[in-house]
Amino acid sequence: MVFDYKHKTPSADINIRLSLKSICADELVQYENKYRFSKLCERQCVNYDRKWSCPPHSPAYTDYSKNFRYCLLILLSCRLSDFDHVKSGYMKVKTSNSILKSQSDRLTRFLESELAGRMLSNGSCRLCKPCSKKTSGDKCKKPEKLRYSMESLGLNVAGISQDYFNHPLLWYKNKTIPQYSTVVSAVLTNKPLQNGDIESLIMKYFPACKINPVNNH
């Protein structure tokens, strides 16, 4: 299922594409390599062992998903050409990612509630600033709201995006901006979803006049 909508900012209207696909939860086990991605986090990410949502505190996808039968994959993307009002190439990427992550968090938590499921977020938890792991090292302040990202569970998100959406992930490299920015999240659930069910949920979340289905029938 694919939908297009505009996100209005003070400076520009950002065109966002939303893609969703319902699969069996155990299909993602083939993309799991907890050891590899935890080691990548340890070497490259400033949040390693500094947030309760991140390695080494995050579980493996296999353990986290074992009580769920289905998974709704959610991909949001936008073109960097919509950010011509932002001067710096790096800031174009940062601004687009901020918008997509915020949009993804709100939508995914809505779907989690509607589906009586458990969301898999994008990136590290952003509920508390700073996370208590950075300061006191004490337990999480909001354990009932804490959610893990797909990456922190050891999932190869680039592979999932490519295989299920035919959508390669692009990154900012050598001061060259990519064509688009992307975030991927998911909701684990025990409710089987057909395309009609997904469309009904999306129309419930968005005013019908603000989102357009794209070639879904």
Side-chain angles (χ1 to χ4, degrees), residues 49-53 57 128 130-143 146:
D49 200 21
R50 300 191 71 199
K51 287 194 174 187
W52 295 115
S53 63
H57 310 288
C128 302
C131 175
S132 63
K133 186 69 181 71
K134 291 181 181 179
T135 54
S136 64
D138 201 356
K139 61 184 179 180
C140 174
K141 295 179 180 179
K142 299 178 181 179
L146 172 68

mmCIF file of all heavy atoms in Angstrom, residues 49-53 57 128 130-143 146:
data_model
loop_
_atom_site.group_PDB
_atom_site.id
_atom_site.type_symbol
_atom_site.label_atom_id
_atom_site.label_comp_id
_atom_site.label_asym_id
_atom_site.label_seq_id
_atom_site.Cartn_x
_atom_site.Cartn_y
_atom_site.Cartn_z
ATOM 1 N N ASP A 49 25.280 1.795 24.787
ATOM 2 C CA ASP A 49 25.353 1.701 26.252
ATOM 3 C C ASP A 49 25.067 3.027 26.945
ATOM 4 O O ASP A 49 25.420 3.217 28.112
ATOM 5 C CB ASP A 49 26.723 1.163 26.690
ATOM 6 C CG ASP A 49 26.670 0.596 28.111
ATOM 7 O OD1 ASP A 49 25.564 0.264 28.577
ATOM 8 O OD2 ASP A 49 27.737 0.513 28.752
ATOM 9 N N ARG A 50 24.411 3.952 26.230
ATOM 10 C CA ARG A 50 24.055 5.239 26.842
ATOM 11 C C ARG A 50 22.548 5.495 26.799
ATOM 12 O O ARG A 50 22.079 6.527 27.236
ATOM 13 C CB ARG A 50 24.798 6.375 26.140
ATOM 14 C CG ARG A 50 26.323 6.243 26.207
ATOM 15 C CD ARG A 50 26.989 7.502 25.742
ATOM 16 N NE ARG A 50 26.829 8.593 26.682
ATOM 17 C CZ ARG A 50 26.991 9.887 26.378
ATOM 18 N NH1 ARG A 50 27.297 10.219 25.133
ATOM 19 N NH2 ARG A 50 26.837 10.819 27.279
ATOM 20 N N LYS A 51 21.822 4.524 26.225
ATOM 21 C CA LYS A 51 20.362 4.588 26.232
ATOM 22 C C LYS A 51 19.811 3.184 26.486
ATOM 23 O O LYS A 51 20.359 2.200 25.990
ATOM 24 C CB LYS A 51 19.821 5.119 24.900
ATOM 25 C CG LYS A 51 20.028 6.610 24.698
ATOM 26 C CD LYS A 51 19.180 7.141 23.547
ATOM 27 C CE LYS A 51 19.281 8.647 23.441
ATOM 28 N NZ LYS A 51 18.336 9.195 22.421
ATOM 29 N N TRP A 52 18.699 3.135 27.231
ATOM 30 C CA TRP A 52 18.109 1.833 27.534
ATOM 31 C C TRP A 52 17.545 1.156 26.291
ATOM 32 O O TRP A 52 17.359 -0.056 26.273
ATOM 33 C CB TRP A 52 17.011 2.001 28.576
ATOM 34 C CG TRP A 52 17.506 2.478 29.904
ATOM 35 C CD1 TRP A 52 17.225 3.663 30.521
ATOM 36 C CD2 TRP A 52 18.388 1.775 30.786
ATOM 37 N NE1 TRP A 52 17.873 3.751 31.729
ATOM 38 C CE2 TRP A 52 18.590 2.604 31.924
ATOM 39 C CE3 TRP A 52 19.023 0.532 30.740
ATOM 40 C CZ2 TRP A 52 19.393 2.229 32.979
ATOM 41 C CZ3 TRP A 52 19.823 0.155 31.806
ATOM 42 C CH2 TRP A 52 20.010 0.987 32.915
ATOM 43 N N SER A 53 17.298 1.933 25.241
ATOM 44 C CA SER A 53 16.725 1.375 24.011
ATOM 45 C C SER A 53 17.784 0.786 23.087
ATOM 46 O O SER A 53 17.435 0.179 22.072
ATOM 47 C CB SER A 53 15.962 2.472 23.260
ATOM 48 O OG SER A 53 16.857 3.509 22.865
ATOM 49 N N HIS A 57 21.581 -3.250 25.711
ATOM 50 C CA HIS A 57 20.386 -3.445 26.534
ATOM 51 C C HIS A 57 19.166 -3.905 25.740
ATOM 52 O O HIS A 57 18.168 -4.294 26.331
ATOM 53 C CB HIS A 57 20.058 -2.148 27.276
ATOM 54 C CG HIS A 57 21.235 -1.567 27.988
ATOM 55 N ND1 HIS A 57 21.768 -2.141 29.124
ATOM 56 C CD2 HIS A 57 22.023 -0.503 27.698
ATOM 57 C CE1 HIS A 57 22.812 -1.442 29.515
ATOM 58 N NE2 HIS A 57 22.996 -0.445 28.664
ATOM 59 N N CYS A 128 13.032 10.657 26.674
ATOM 60 C CA CYS A 128 13.642 11.429 27.772
ATOM 61 C C CYS A 128 14.963 12.044 27.309
ATOM 62 O O CYS A 128 15.777 11.373 26.676
ATOM 63 C CB CYS A 128 13.911 10.528 28.976
ATOM 64 S SG CYS A 128 12.448 9.699 29.615
ATOM 65 N N PRO A 130 18.078 14.095 29.067
ATOM 66 C CA PRO A 130 18.779 12.894 28.586
ATOM 67 C C PRO A 130 18.164 11.611 29.142
ATOM 68 O O PRO A 130 17.425 11.648 30.118
ATOM 69 C CB PRO A 130 20.190 13.083 29.125
ATOM 70 C CG PRO A 130 19.970 13.804 30.425
ATOM 71 C CD PRO A 130 18.809 14.741 30.176
ATOM 72 N N CYS A 131 18.488 10.503 28.528
ATOM 73 C CA CYS A 131 18.091 9.195 29.041
ATOM 74 C C CYS A 131 18.775 8.970 30.388
ATOM 75 O O CYS A 131 19.932 9.357 30.592
ATOM 76 C CB CYS A 131 18.508 8.116 28.047
ATOM 77 S SG CYS A 131 18.197 6.417 28.617
ATOM 78 N N SER A 132 18.062 8.349 31.317
ATOM 79 C CA SER A 132 18.629 8.118 32.651
ATOM 80 C C SER A 132 19.876 7.228 32.600
ATOM 81 O O SER A 132 20.692 7.251 33.515
ATOM 82 C CB SER A 132 17.581 7.490 33.575
ATOM 83 O OG SER A 132 17.177 6.226 33.097
ATOM 84 N N LYS A 133 20.049 6.467 31.525
ATOM 85 C CA LYS A 133 21.253 5.633 31.400
ATOM 86 C C LYS A 133 22.501 6.505 31.303
ATOM 87 O O LYS A 133 23.575 6.120 31.769
ATOM 88 C CB LYS A 133 21.146 4.736 30.151
ATOM 89 C CG LYS A 133 22.289 3.732 30.017
ATOM 90 C CD LYS A 133 22.182 2.687 31.104
ATOM 91 C CE LYS A 133 23.296 1.659 31.052
ATOM 92 N NZ LYS A 133 24.603 2.164 31.434
ATOM 93 N N LYS A 134 22.365 7.702 30.724
ATOM 94 C CA LYS A 134 23.503 8.606 30.578
ATOM 95 C C LYS A 134 23.851 9.298 31.890
ATOM 96 O O LYS A 134 25.001 9.689 32.098
ATOM 97 C CB LYS A 134 23.197 9.674 29.533
ATOM 98 C CG LYS A 134 23.097 9.177 28.106
ATOM 99 C CD LYS A 134 22.825 10.344 27.164
ATOM 100 C CE LYS A 134 22.694 9.885 25.728
ATOM 101 N NZ LYS A 134 22.402 11.016 24.804
ATOM 102 N N THR A 135 22.851 9.482 32.728
ATOM 103 C CA THR A 135 23.065 10.268 33.937
ATOM 104 C C THR A 135 23.260 9.379 35.157
ATOM 105 O O THR A 135 24.382 9.099 35.574
ATOM 106 C CB THR A 135 21.882 11.229 34.142
ATOM 107 O OG1 THR A 135 20.640 10.492 34.128
ATOM 108 C CG2 THR A 135 21.841 12.260 33.011
ATOM 109 N N SER A 136 22.174 8.898 35.726
ATOM 110 C CA SER A 136 22.268 8.117 36.954
ATOM 111 C C SER A 136 22.610 6.662 36.710
ATOM 112 O O SER A 136 23.086 5.964 37.608
ATOM 113 C CB SER A 136 20.936 8.195 37.710
ATOM 114 O OG SER A 136 19.903 7.597 36.945
ATOM 115 N N GLY A 137 22.350 6.174 35.488
ATOM 116 C CA GLY A 137 22.558 4.763 35.224
ATOM 117 C C GLY A 137 21.468 3.909 35.833
ATOM 118 O O GLY A 137 21.524 2.681 35.811
ATOM 119 N N ASP A 138 20.447 4.584 36.394
ATOM 120 C CA ASP A 138 19.334 3.897 37.028
ATOM 121 C C ASP A 138 18.412 3.348 35.958
ATOM 122 O O ASP A 138 18.648 3.486 34.765
ATOM 123 C CB ASP A 138 18.592 4.878 37.941
ATOM 124 C CG ASP A 138 17.773 4.176 38.995
ATOM 125 O OD1 ASP A 138 17.725 2.937 38.957
ATOM 126 O OD2 ASP A 138 17.168 4.868 39.829
ATOM 127 N N LYS A 139 17.307 2.752 36.372
ATOM 128 C CA LYS A 139 16.385 2.122 35.424
ATOM 129 C C LYS A 139 15.663 3.156 34.562
ATOM 130 O O LYS A 139 15.609 4.352 34.883
ATOM 131 C CB LYS A 139 15.364 1.281 36.182
ATOM 132 C CG LYS A 139 14.506 2.074 37.158
ATOM 133 C CD LYS A 139 13.591 1.143 37.930
ATOM 134 C CE LYS A 139 12.743 1.946 38.929
ATOM 135 N NZ LYS A 139 11.844 1.056 39.701
ATOM 136 N N CYS A 140 15.070 2.699 33.468
ATOM 137 C CA CYS A 140 14.316 3.546 32.550
ATOM 138 C C CYS A 140 13.162 4.227 33.287
ATOM 139 O O CYS A 140 12.468 3.604 34.099
ATOM 140 C CB CYS A 140 13.777 2.686 31.404
ATOM 141 S SG CYS A 140 12.670 3.549 30.277
ATOM 142 N N LYS A 141 12.956 5.515 33.007
ATOM 143 C CA LYS A 141 11.895 6.277 33.660
ATOM 144 C C LYS A 141 10.521 6.006 33.068
ATOM 145 O O LYS A 141 9.504 6.241 33.712
ATOM 146 C CB LYS A 141 12.201 7.776 33.556
ATOM 147 C CG LYS A 141 13.447 8.211 34.311
ATOM 148 C CD LYS A 141 13.685 9.697 34.133
ATOM 149 C CE LYS A 141 14.931 10.152 34.873
ATOM 150 N NZ LYS A 141 15.181 11.609 34.671
ATOM 151 N N LYS A 142 10.486 5.529 31.825
ATOM 152 C CA LYS A 142 9.202 5.293 31.161
ATOM 153 C C LYS A 142 9.203 3.921 30.478
ATOM 154 O O LYS A 142 9.059 3.811 29.267
ATOM 155 C CB LYS A 142 8.934 6.391 30.124
ATOM 156 C CG LYS A 142 8.850 7.786 30.725
ATOM 157 C CD LYS A 142 8.624 8.843 29.637
ATOM 158 C CE LYS A 142 8.562 10.236 30.244
ATOM 159 N NZ LYS A 142 8.377 11.284 29.200
ATOM 160 N N PRO A 143 9.357 2.868 31.262
ATOM 161 C CA PRO A 143 9.465 1.534 30.662
ATOM 162 C C PRO A 143 8.235 1.118 29.868
ATOM 163 O O PRO A 143 8.343 0.345 28.912
ATOM 164 C CB PRO A 143 9.686 0.619 31.875
ATOM 165 C CG PRO A 143 9.130 1.390 33.035
ATOM 166 C CD PRO A 143 9.422 2.829 32.734
ATOM 167 N N LEU A 146 8.851 2.790 26.487
ATOM 168 C CA LEU A 146 10.115 2.488 25.805
ATOM 169 C C LEU A 146 9.880 1.516 24.654
ATOM 170 O O LEU A 146 9.220 0.500 24.814
ATOM 171 C CB LEU A 146 11.104 1.876 26.792
ATOM 172 C CG LEU A 146 12.403 1.319 26.196
ATOM 173 C CD1 LEU A 146 13.257 2.448 25.647
ATOM 174 C CD2 LEU A 146 13.155 0.511 27.243
#
